[in-house]
Amino acid sequence: MKLSDVLNEKRCFKLVCGAGNEDVKEVEKLVAVYAKAGANYFDLSAKEEVVKAAQRGINRVIPKNLQNKYSLNVSVGITGDPHIRKAFIDKEKCQSCGECELVCPQKSIKHENDYYFVTEERCIGCGECEKICPADAITFTSKQKDLNEVLPPLISSGLNSIELHAVTDNEEKAYEQWLIIQKHYNGILSLCLDRSHLSDTELIRRIKRFISTREKYTTIIQCDGAPMSGGSDDYNTTLQAIATADIVQKEKLPVWLLLSGGTNSK
């Protein structure tokens, strides 16, 4: 079954392992558990070893004759997008209070001899550590990747879609990356957007620009309430995701809509 069939039938359950989650053991376990539970679409960091880990996860729990029902996506972004950033702790400023280690949902912050540091492959850039740090010792850096080098080996590994996180003020840079992706890949593409940088009008204008040269129903618009906010089990971020999708849906554009960010139990 093709990804397009799953989307058309509205039977798509996407697990976002995280564009920044490069822990291959964790990704393999997540994919195995959620594939067994019914997820059929997996969003991964754009690294070959992470894609292979996801494939191993599917192999562990799904019979070979059914594996064509499961789809893999890799996410890429541009500098400034919260999905691809990594935390850094300035040891000169750090007060060794340990608050960051306690709040990190990924357990990516460790300490050794009162020196706190970030295990980069586990960091997803959520920002919880920065919010709680009393010494302003935590900053973020973006891991920008050359898509011309990164994409070819990933595509040959058997991807079903590629997603661009375009949550940014720099539309031209995002559009440049979008064109590079299309140069290498002619399958389904996904565009992740929220309204943190855009008005409702600008959101629609950006989408129309990005899909203007694409065939109908070859693009997913991932409507993000607030990136990585599903852990906050309240209505606020959920309503943002729904509102973003509602704005796009009313335009009747030839795209699939997928909600993400704030998609908690509400």
Side-chain angles (χ1 to χ4, degrees), residues 138-150:
I138 299 176
T139 55
F140 290 89
T141 56
S142 294
K143 300 284 288 184
Q144 187 64 53
K145 300 175 180 179
D146 184 343
L147 297 185
N148 288 306
E149 295 181 6
V150 169

Side-chain angles (χ1 to χ4, degrees), residues 50-96:
V50 174
V51 173
K52 288 178 179 178
Q55 291 169 334
R56 289 196 300 271
I58 292 172
N59 289 336
R60 284 170 58 175
V61 296
I62 304 299
K64 289 284 185 184
N65 64 320
L66 298 177
Q67 289 181 10
N68 64 338
K69 296 182 179 181
Y70 296 81
S71 300
L72 299 181
N73 172 83
V74 295
S75 284
V76 296
I78 73 168
T79 299
D81 187 283
H83 299 86
I84 63 164
R85 64 182 188 170
K86 300 288 185 179
F88 171 76
I89 302 174
D90 185 339
K91 66 179 182 180
E92 299 298 325
K93 292 183 179 180
C94 179
Q95 298 175 355
S96 301

Side-chain angles (χ1 to χ4, degrees), residues 79-236:
T79 299
D81 187 283
H83 299 86
I84 63 164
R85 64 182 188 170
K86 300 288 185 179
F88 171 76
I89 302 174
D90 185 339
K91 66 179 182 180
E92 299 298 325
K93 292 183 179 180
C94 179
Q95 298 175 355
S96 301
C97 66
E99 291 296 321
C100 57
E101 184 178 17
L102 293 175
V103 300
C104 178
Q106 284 293 106
K107 308 298 181 189
S108 67
I109 297 178
K110 308 293 182 184
H111 71 276
E112 193 174 278
N113 300 324
D114 287 331
Y115 168 52
Y116 286 78
F117 59 93
V118 177
T119 307
E120 194 171 276
E121 64 268 18
R122 290 189 62 85
C123 177
I124 60 171
C126 69
E128 294 301 315
C129 55
E130 181 188 34
K131 292 176 188 175
I132 205 167
C133 179
D136 293 326
I138 299 176
T139 55
F140 290 89
T141 56
S142 294
K143 300 284 288 184
Q144 187 64 53
K145 300 175 180 179
D146 184 343
L147 297 185
N148 288 306
E149 295 181 6
V150 169
L151 291 180
L154 291 173
I155 292 167
S156 65
S157 70
L159 294 179
N160 304 96
S161 65
I162 298 175
E163 182 168 292
L164 176 66
H165 290 266
V167 179
T168 177
D169 287 323
N170 192 343
E171 180 174 316
E172 294 309 314
K173 182 63 178 177
Y175 191 63
E176 177 187 316
Q177 298 292 83
W178 184 248
L179 294 178
I180 292 172
I181 294 170
Q182 290 185 81
K183 181 180 73 173
H184 290 283
Y185 186 71
N186 61 3
I188 292 174
L189 298 185
S190 178
L191 185 64
C192 179
L193 290 166
D194 66 20
R195 293 182 296 157
S196 60
H197 296 266
L198 303 169
S199 68
D200 297 354
T201 301
E202 290 170 336
L203 172 69
I204 296 302
R205 182 196 57 75
R206 183 174 294 188
I207 293 172
K208 286 181 176 179
R209 180 190 182 191
F210 277 56
I211 69 170
S212 62
T213 59
R214 294 185 56 74
E215 293 183 14
K216 293 181 178 180
Y217 294 101
T218 57
T219 307
I220 299 167
I221 303 300
Q222 180 165 292
C223 302
D224 211 333
M228 295 163 286
S229 60
S232 300
D233 199 16
D234 56 37
Y235 285 104
N236 189 46

